[in-house]
Amino acid sequence: MTVSKDFLLSVYERCNEHLKEQSTKRDQAIAFYLVVISFYFGSYSTISKLLVSPYSPVFFNVVICLISGMTIRTLSGLRSWHMQYANSALVLNKVISKNIFELDVLNLEIKSFFDKKEEEYNKMTLAKMFSGIENRVILGMTLISGFPVVMLVKEILSLLKVSNKELIALLECTFYIVYVAYYFYNTIKMIRESANHKTWIVNFE
């Protein structure tokens, strides 16, 4: 069984459309979070004065922390899909240039390509992984999104009437590092695993 060149070209075009779609969603997620975090830091003192209950600032910071975490997870997921569609476009370009239209041979070529990508991503160093601008954007957003965690720790310690400045600073730094490390690890994991998934768009089996 064979497939036509026109069919593969149409799938290639769809890959490019999905790439643009993922980039648009990424930009929207970043813009949304920057608006939220700007409002958060710009109006924090005012909002704190309006909140009557002593527990309200804690709840407010918990909500912002949840939004921060969901944003980073969203960006990591979109990056994973972006890489999958980019790889799909690359392999389609490769098989089209080689005039591979026999379905069995085509599937073997696609499988071989993704196997090599999986090996490449698993061996990729952190420096190389974050050499691209899109991965660095996620890293920067992760660093920024950790600050509400610091504010949450500060509010909890204030509620508990902890006054030791050294202890407060230590706990704030610890929770910030744990938060950043957790989402940093998840981002790396999703990037590495993006080559493990042959997207539906090039699944011709």
Side-chain angles (χ1 to χ4, degrees):
M1 185 177 177
T2 60
V3 295
S4 67
K5 184 176 182 178
D6 289 339
F7 171 74
L8 293 179
L9 286 171
S10 68
V11 177
Y12 180 82
E13 288 299 322
R14 288 172 69 187
C15 284
N16 284 316
E17 289 173 8
H18 283 296
L19 280 171
K20 293 176 183 177
E21 183 181 325
Q22 302 308 313
S23 296
T24 300
K25 289 180 179 178
R26 178 206 62 204
D27 294 342
Q28 289 173 342
I30 292 173
F32 164 76
Y33 185 70
L34 290 178
V35 169
V36 170
I37 208 71
S38 297
F39 169 78
Y40 170 74
F41 285 117
S43 308
Y44 191 82
S45 298
T46 305
I47 293 173
S48 297
K49 291 175 183 177
L50 293 174
L51 299 173
V52 179
S53 171
Y55 299 99
S56 296
V58 174
F59 176 74
F60 175 62
N61 279 285
V62 167
V63 172
I64 298 298
C65 288
L66 289 174
I67 292 173
S68 298
M70 287 188 291
T71 301
I72 300 304
R73 291 285 293 178
T74 300
L75 291 176
S76 299
L78 289 172
R79 179 58 181 150
S80 176
W81 276 106
H82 189 277
M83 293 177 74
Q84 291 177 51
Y85 284 123
N87 287 333
S88 298
L90 286 172
V91 72
L92 285 170
N93 185 61
K94 183 179 179 182
V95 297
I96 291 170
S97 65
K98 289 184 176 182
N99 292 318
I100 300 174
F101 304 120
E102 183 66 36
L103 189 58
D104 291 338
V105 181
L106 178 65
N107 285 327
L108 285 174
E109 190 74 23
I110 292 172
K111 184 179 184 303
S112 174
F113 177 88
F114 277 93
D115 286 344
K116 288 178 182 177
K117 281 293 179 183
E118 181 179 355
E119 184 179 354
E120 177 189 334
Y121 288 175
N122 287 332
K123 293 181 178 178
M124 191 181 295
T125 62
L126 292 181
K128 187 176 180 181
M129 186 178 294
F130 287 94
S131 60
I133 186 169
E134 293 196 358
N135 290 345
R136 289 203 301 269
V137 166
I138 297 176
L139 175 59
M141 291 294 291
T142 304
L143 295 173
I144 293 171
S145 69
F147 288 110
V149 175
V150 175
M151 299 302 292
L152 174 60
V153 173
K154 179 183 177 183
E155 292 294 348
I156 292 174
L157 294 177
S158 176
L159 195 63
L160 297 174
K161 301 188 184 305
V162 177
S163 57
N164 189 312
K165 292 183 179 180
E166 289 76 13
L167 178 61
I168 292 172
L170 177 62
L171 289 172
E172 287 176 349
C173 291
T174 300
F175 276 89
Y176 177 81
I177 292 170
V178 168
Y179 171 91
V180 170
Y182 173 77
Y183 283 103
F184 188 49
Y185 168 78
N186 274 276
T187 299
I188 293 170
K189 185 179 178 182
M190 293 187 77
I191 290 173
R192 289 194 190 281
E193 290 180 350
S194 62
N196 300 349
H197 309 290
K198 185 175 71 174
T199 58
W200 61 273
I201 206 163
V202 289
N203 187 6
F204 304 126
E205 295 179 353

